[in-house]
Amino acid sequence: MTIRLAFIGAGGIAHHHLNTLSRMEGIAVTAFYDLDAARAEQAALNWSHASAYSTIEEMLDTAKPDGVYICVPPMAHGSAEELVMERGIPFMVEKPIGIGLDTPASIAAAVKKQGLITSVGYHWRYMDAVEQAKARLASSKLGMAMGYWMGGMPMVPWWRKMHGSGGQFVEQTTHIVDLVRYLCGEVTEVYAAYAERVKRDQVEGCDVPDVGTVTLKLENGAVANISNTCMLPVSHHVGLDLYTDQGVLEIRGHGLKVIHPSGVSELKDGSDPTYQEDEAFIHAIRTGDTSRIRSDYIDAWKTHEVTIAANESAQTGKVVRIGETCQVE
Ligand SMILES: NC(=O)c1ccc[n+]([C@@H]2O[C@H](COP(=O)([O-])OP(=O)(O)OC[C@H]3O[C@@H](n4cnc5c(N)ncnc54)[C@H](O)[C@@H]3O)[C@@H](O)[C@H]2O)c1
């Protein structure tokens, strides 16, 4: 059975998924919508029988896709998900799922009520390095975790504005928060300190903090710190270090380093996490079996809640307890 897909948003990450999907059998991408009509039209040229549409409603009702990819910037979430949910269509949405709590909370509640198939773009969960770290953690006791996203500023215009991206911790470092939840356990308390050091002066219209450090308490008693900066002129650490009674696990985009009493071993990660992520979503649409999806909307909501709590803590200077601000019914 050929699975027909539609895309809402046809920018950078949409093309990454499209390249991945083009390597799979039994997929037809038939429909595109983007606020920038030329982008939708250009994307449609690459797929036989695909069309660009001028509204989401027209696209969904004409193309009748089996699944929808929602690849819009953080501030643009809401109406796309609502229109897709009204029609009961499974969707894959990119992280972050919003820039505040209200819209994602109401989407999460509706997804839960409908039992809809969803997937969220936390692709680190699909890496072999993460899988191996998870297996090692099962036989060790975690003490603490240290996460990092230390680099430069992505230059898409919406990124430099709090009302566009939600800031670095919400937009980018959310991947590391999600790994902490996936590997270490649920977060109960968040305390954050952010500052604006150089980017506000260097980049016109920039109002996102360019350094920040966030302390997390976990339900199981472990603690974590995740720091980020977007002020560097070079790339530095991106990843998560786990400190356990058996040694240290260093997870990076390129692999896993294990530091244990008898030496150091390194796994070079050859996996294609976006392929695994997309395949899991397509498999779920085709069969109804959602077991391969490692991040669905309800789970991603919990990661999102932690990142928004960090923004709130940085603003108020107070500890934020998770679950006290907003609940998904
Ligand atoms: N999983 C990952 O590692 C990863 C990597 C890159 C980007 N992303 C996420 O993907 C999202 C998009 O990022 P991008 O790099 O593709 O951005 P982009 O700016 O390259 O593309 C976004 C596209 O969405 C369109 N758009 C904006 N508002 C819209 C709306 N209301 N309806 C329809 N289309 C709309 C824009 O015209 C643009 O074509 C962001 O949330 C980003 O965090 C995730």
Side-chain angles (χ1 to χ4, degrees), residues 11-13 33-35 39 72-74 94-95 121 123 158 171 175:
I13 194 65
Y33 169 77
D34 193 293
L35 262 191
R39 283 194 173 192
V72 300
E94 267 305 335
K95 47 49 67 182
H123 67 273
W158 48 263
E171 202 278 341
H175 279 299

Side-chain angles (χ1 to χ4, degrees), residues 115-128:
L116 202 60
I117 293 170
T118 57
S119 171
V120 181
Y122 285 109
H123 67 273
W124 285 64
R125 289 190 179 209
Y126 296 84
M127 286 170 52
D128 284 350

Side-chain angles (χ1 to χ4, degrees), residues 124 130 133 137 142 144-149 175-184 216 223-227 237-243 248-253 255-257:
W124 285 64
V130 170
L137 278 172
L142 176 75
M144 67 182 297
M146 301 277 284
Y148 321 88
W149 200 293
H175 279 299
I176 307 302
V177 175
D178 190 63
L179 273 191
V180 166
R181 287 193 49 251
Y182 186 56
L183 294 172
C184 309
L216 307 173
V223 293
N225 177 270
I226 304 177
S227 294
H237 296 312
V238 175
L240 182 68
D241 297 341
L242 303 169
Y243 296 87
V248 183
L249 304 171
E250 289 183 7
I251 301 166
R252 298 290 181 271
L256 173 70
K257 186 194 272 190

Side-chain angles (χ1 to χ4, degrees), residues 121-165:
Y122 285 109
H123 67 273
W124 285 64
R125 289 190 179 209
Y126 296 84
M127 286 170 52
D128 284 350
V130 170
E131 214 35 42
Q132 295 221 3
K134 201 171 179 57
R136 284 178 177 273
L137 278 172
S139 57
S140 55
K141 180 157 185 176
L142 176 75
M144 67 182 297
M146 301 277 284
Y148 321 88
W149 200 293
M150 317 303 263
M153 179 175 274
M155 291 315 281
V156 279
W158 48 263
W159 203 95
R160 67 194 66 159
K161 290 280 188 196
M162 285 303 279
H163 70 249
S165 66

Side-chain angles (χ1 to χ4, degrees), residues 91-114:
F91 66 89
M92 194 280 166
V93 60
E94 267 305 335
K95 47 49 67 182
I97 54 176
I99 56 170
L101 289 180
D102 293 351
T103 299
S106 69
I107 295 169
V111 161
K112 202 169 175 181
K113 198 167 165 195
Q114 286 187 36

